[in-house]
């Protein structure tokens, strides 16, 4: 469904673009960095997006994770009194990260607009999707950040912009899509997109590989190291003398 | 602030926060002999760790904390290995049985509900009993200080215990009873542990105090011994089956908890048995209240992430 949403957006852009006789200048973007290295010290980062959009439109930036199916337990009342995890429910094809940045200039309610989280809803039931959004916003995976886009100049029917988007620390290895939308009256006029790659490096990469590819060895090693650490601490304290 | 990325949990955490968290739970582990599994996992989830990773990594850190605490108690003469091994054997047998019970419950579709309600009732009952009994014990001691000891009438329970076969002396615990007792009780705890998904530390400690009549200090040391092997098993199984042990997280917690366990052991030595029981009972009741509130209060979000603890 996410790809369907992309297709719709692209199709819409083409239709609108071809309608006026005077074609608007295309959206251009540059993404730096386009590779996020997740090492031991990683604690979130910022990506800088620069580029230009047609005059008379506003820029909206979106960063989306890969579409995934997510399973949750639905909470409900048992015996009319106790809140319980009831049956499992599934939300299909939703990105595990959805960040949105705007210029913060319009009165637009971006969070509830068709360009934000609703755009990847697919066939999910309304109540379920609302709860899903609440959960993801609580955990910081879905967010709308207003005022992160600054316009840096205008010339020949285009305006330049620069934006910094905060990437959360809870990121998984994978490919993310960064989009710049040129928006007019709440509609997408044109868009450009680039890929942002997140990659594990160093110790996290080593441990993740060990955990998934050599899981038994990993488990045994974890136990042995834990025991050795416990023994080490015991020895350290023993040398303090003065047992009670 | 210094942060570290956890490769399995997929998140970045403040190193000092995790260290302090481990230290706090390790302290409790040293004082009471409970592995801290039921406290640590909810706290980790609160800080953004996925539930399945929290539970599995916590088992790993308990291995270290229990090693450290158990060794400290051993030096103080507080570990009854004979009792611990029998409880452990019973626990393993019970664990297998518990898995079958869970399968049946899941087939009936009411597993989660029964687990939560059982947990609340169990903790509430045990905590309340320990609290009341310990307070009464403290009161009794004062007036009876100068009076000659009144001959104690044997309870039906004690009489029944003495009739069981395979009577043996447990020197460290200072009790004589049938070897069947720790085995059977170990089985029961193993079943409950499998059903409730925790190490069983909370239930094991009261059982050792009240049913096996062990002194509190030996209960703490022996409980750590038993928990150590339970969590070794859990860590390896979780890593092999679910890939949910985050080693970095476990090590950070471990450094804090092993330190905390050492201090906890010393505190345990300074407190009277009844004081230990009151503190543990208070802790158990606090956890019970928290779980009860989760059952009664309308949650903010009507979805929960899959994977329990």
């Amino acid at each position: 469904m996410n790809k369907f949403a992309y297709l719709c957006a692209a199709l819409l852009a083409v239709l609108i673009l071809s309608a006026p006789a005077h074609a608007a200048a295309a959206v251009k973007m540059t993404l730096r960095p386009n590779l996020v290295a997740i090492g031991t010290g990683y604690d979130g980062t910022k990506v800088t997006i620069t580029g230009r959009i047609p005059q008379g439109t506003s820029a909206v930036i979106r960063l989306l994770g890969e579409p995934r199916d997510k399973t949750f337990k639905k909470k409900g009342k048992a015996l009319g009194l106790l809140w319980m995890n009831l049956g499992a429910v599934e939300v299909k094809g939703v990105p595990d990260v959805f960040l949105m940045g705007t210029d913060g200039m319009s009165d637009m309610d971006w969070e509830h607009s068709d360009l934000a989280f609703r755009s990847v809803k697919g066939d999910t039931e309304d109540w379920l999707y609302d709860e899903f959004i609440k959960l993801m916003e609580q955990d910081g995976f879905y967010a709308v950040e207003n005022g992160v886009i600054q316009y840096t100049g205008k010339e020949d029917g285009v305006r330049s912009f620069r934006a910094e988007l905060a990437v959360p620390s809870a990121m998984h290895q994978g490919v993310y899509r960064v989009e710049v939308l040129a928006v007019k009256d709440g509609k997408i006029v044109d868009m450009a997109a680039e890929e942002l790659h997140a990659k594990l490096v160093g110790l996290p990469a080593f441990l993740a590989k060990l955990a998934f590819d050599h899981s038994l060895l990993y488990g045994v090693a974890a136990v042995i190291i834990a025991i050795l650490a416990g023994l080490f601490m015991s020895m350290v304290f023993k040398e303090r003398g003065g047992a009670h | 602030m210094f942060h570290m990325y956890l490769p399995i949990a997929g998140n970045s955490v403040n190193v000092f926060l995790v260290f302090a968290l481990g230290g706090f739970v390790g302290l409790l582990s040293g004082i009471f002999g409970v592995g801290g599994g039921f406290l640590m996992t909810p706290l980790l989830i609160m800080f953004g760790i996925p539930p399945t990773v929290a539970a599995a990594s916590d088992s790993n850190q308990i291995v270290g904390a229990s090693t450290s605490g158990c060794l400290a108690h051993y030096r103080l003469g507080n570990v009854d290995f004979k009792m611990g091994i029998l409880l452990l054997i019973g626990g393993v047998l019970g664990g297998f049985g518990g898995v079958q019970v869970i399968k049946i419950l899941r087939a009936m579709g009411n597993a989660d509900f029964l687990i939560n309600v059982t947990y609340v009732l169990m903790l509430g009952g045990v905590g309340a009993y320990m609290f009341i009994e310990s307070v009464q014990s403290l009161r009794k001691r004062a007036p009876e200080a100068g009076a000659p000891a009144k001959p104690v009438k044997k309870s039906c329970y004690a009489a029944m215990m003495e009739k069981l076969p395979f009577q043996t002396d447990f020197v460290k615990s200072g009790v004589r009873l049938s070897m069947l007792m720790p085995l059977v009780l170990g089985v029961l705890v193993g079943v409950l542990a499998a059903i409730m998904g925790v190490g069983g530390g909370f239930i094991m400690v009261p059982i050792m105090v009240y049913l096996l009549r062990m002194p509190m200090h030996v209960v703490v040391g022996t409980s750590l011994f038993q928990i150590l092997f339970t969590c070794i098993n859990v860590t390896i199984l979780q890593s092999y089956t679910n890939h949910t042990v985050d080693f970095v997280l476990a090590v950070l917690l471990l450094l804090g908890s092993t330190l905390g366990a050492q201090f906890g052991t010393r505190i345990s030595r300074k407190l009277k048995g009844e004081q230990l029981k009151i503190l543990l009972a208070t802790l158990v009741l606090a956890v019970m209240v928290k779980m009860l509130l989760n059952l009664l209060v309308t949650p903010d979000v009507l979805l929960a992430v899959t994977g329990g603890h």
Side-chain angles (χ1 to χ4, degrees):
Chain A
M1 290 312 295
N2 194 30
K3 296 195 171 179
F4 180 70
Y6 288 155
L7 187 61
C8 284
L11 187 61
L12 180 65
V14 170
L15 288 177
I16 294 181
L17 190 61
S18 60
H22 55 288
V27 173
K28 294 220 189 316
M29 70 176 287
T30 302
L31 172 68
R32 277 196 215 86
N34 56 13
L35 172 66
V36 172
I38 302 178
T40 297
Y42 176 78
D43 181 31
T45 186
K46 286 184 181 275
V47 292
T48 302
I49 302 109
T50 56
R52 65 188 198 197
I53 55 174
Q55 193 72 262
T57 65
S58 301
V60 172
I61 294 176
R62 308 198 305 187
L63 186 152
L64 297 98
E66 295 166 295
R68 296 178 199 274
D69 297 343
K70 287 181 175 291
T71 305
F72 300 93
K73 292 278 186 66
K74 174 187 175 184
K75 290 188 182 180
K77 280 198 171 183
L79 310 183
L81 173 68
L82 304 176
W83 284 98
M84 288 290 307
N85 289 344
L86 301 180
V89 288
E90 194 175 30
V91 184
K92 287 183 182 292
V94 285
D96 51 9
V97 172
F98 192 139
L99 310 175
M100 188 166 172
T102 75
D103 54 24
M105 291 177 180
S106 75
D107 297 334
M108 186 80 163
D109 178 11
W110 289 110
E111 186 170 334
H112 297 98
S113 72
D114 292 334
L115 301 182
F117 311 139
R118 199 178 301 166
S119 64
V120 293
K121 176 172 177 287
D123 295 330
T124 310
E125 298 174 62
D126 288 351
W127 75 266
L128 173 51
Y129 200 67
D130 288 345
E131 297 300 317
F132 170 74
I133 296 302
K134 278 190 210 169
L135 194 64
M136 298 302 264
E137 283 185 314
Q138 247 179 39
D139 293 341
F141 292 115
Y142 276 34
V144 174
E145 220 179 334
N146 292 312
V148 298
I149 301 176
Q150 282 97 41
Y151 299 106
T152 55
K154 39 185 171 179
E155 59 182 70
D156 295 338
V158 299
R159 61 200 303 207
S160 308
F161 69 87
R162 174 193 165 88
E164 265 195 353
L165 210 57
V167 176
S169 66
M171 291 282 279
H172 296 279
Q173 186 162 245
V175 180
Y176 296 78
R177 179 180 167 90
V178 180
E179 302 174 338
V180 173
L181 313 177
V183 177
K184 185 170 185 176
D185 301 329
K187 306 293 185 187
I188 300 176
V189 172
D190 193 12
M191 68 182 294
E194 283 194 16
E195 285 184 346
L196 175 69
H197 293 251
K199 188 181 179 185
L200 291 176
V201 298
L203 183 64
F206 170 74
L207 288 177
K209 183 174 174 58
L210 195 64
F212 286 96
D213 296 343
H214 307 283
S215 52
L216 185 57
L217 172 64
Y218 179 85
V220 172
V223 163
I224 290 174
I225 292 174
I227 292 176
L228 291 178
L231 293 176
F232 173 77
M233 297 300 279
S234 295
M235 284 190 295
V236 167
F237 276 88
K238 182 179 182 182
E239 287 164 5
R240 277 199 175 183
H244 299 95
Chain B
M1 293 297 216
F2 184 58
H3 281 74
M4 214 167 179
Y5 184 81
L6 307 176
I8 309 303
N11 203 343
S12 183
V13 293
N14 181 329
V15 171
F16 300 109
L17 181 67
V18 176
F19 185 87
L21 191 62
F24 170 70
V25 176
L27 186 75
L28 296 179
S29 173
I31 296 175
F32 301 120
V34 292
F38 66 110
L39 276 186
M40 183 72 89
T41 299
L43 288 172
L44 288 174
I45 293 171
M46 205 177 298
F47 289 113
I49 308 295
T52 51
V53 175
S57 303
D58 185 29
S59 295
N60 191 8
Q61 78 83 18
I62 290 172
V63 170
S66 298
T67 299
S68 179
C70 185
L71 198 56
H73 276 282
Y74 171 70
R75 293 195 187 111
L76 297 170
N78 287 347
V79 180
D80 188 333
F81 288 105
K82 185 192 288 187
M83 186 76 81
I85 289 172
L86 289 171
L87 287 164
L88 193 58
I89 293 171
V92 171
L93 297 177
F96 286 119
V99 170
Q100 304 309 314
V101 173
I102 279 289
K103 284 183 179 176
I104 296 171
L105 290 176
R106 297 232 180 261
M108 293 165 58
N110 290 318
D112 283 352
F113 179 75
L114 190 67
I115 288 169
N116 278 297
V117 173
T118 302
Y119 212 152
V120 168
L121 293 179
M122 184 84 58
L123 291 182
V126 168
Y129 181 83
M130 285 188 78
F131 194 90
I132 293 169
E133 189 267 351
S134 301
V135 169
Q136 286 176 349
S137 292
L138 283 178
R139 285 180 186 169
K140 281 180 183 176
R141 286 208 171 160
E144 288 182 9
K150 182 181 179 182
V152 180
K153 180 184 179 182
K154 290 181 179 177
S155 65
C156 298
Y157 173 76
M160 183 195 73
M161 279 176 60
E162 290 181 358
K163 292 178 180 175
L164 294 174
F166 307 112
Q167 293 284 325
T168 185
D169 282 312
F170 294 90
V171 176
K172 285 293 181 182
S173 303
V175 298
R176 176 179 177 84
L177 44 71
S178 168
M179 285 174 59
L180 294 181
M181 286 298 294
L183 272 175
V184 170
L185 293 172
V187 168
L188 289 178
V189 173
V191 172
L192 288 173
I195 292 175
M196 297 192 291
V198 294
F202 284 111
I203 307 303
M204 182 63 80
V205 167
I207 279 181
M208 285 193 271
V209 172
Y210 295 112
L211 299 185
L212 299 178
R213 303 292 165 83
M214 297 164 64
M216 187 64 187
H217 300 94
V218 179
V219 162
V220 172
T222 305
S223 173
L224 285 168
F225 172 81
Q226 185 262 345
I227 285 166
L228 170 58
F229 289 96
T230 301
C231 287
I232 288 176
N233 188 51
V234 169
T235 298
I236 295 178
L237 284 182
Q238 288 278 24
S239 173
Y240 184 67
T241 305
N242 299 323
H243 314 292
T244 47
V245 174
D246 193 308
F247 178 70
V248 175
L249 175 61
V251 167
L252 292 177
L253 292 171
L254 186 63
L255 295 176
S257 65
T258 50
L259 195 64
Q262 293 297 325
F263 289 113
T265 304
R266 280 155 180 77
I267 291 175
S268 166
R269 190 67 175 175
K270 287 173 173 161
L271 293 173
K272 296 173 182 173
E274 280 75 23
Q275 289 170 321
L276 279 177
K277 288 183 204 171
I278 290 177
L279 288 175
L280 177 56
T282 303
L283 183 65
V284 168
L285 289 172
V287 171
M288 184 273 289
V289 168
K290 177 187 179 299
M291 292 189 70
L292 190 59
L293 287 178
N294 281 347
L295 288 172
L296 293 175
V297 177
T298 305
D300 291 338
V301 184
L302 299 186
L303 290 181
V305 180
T306 310
H309 44 95

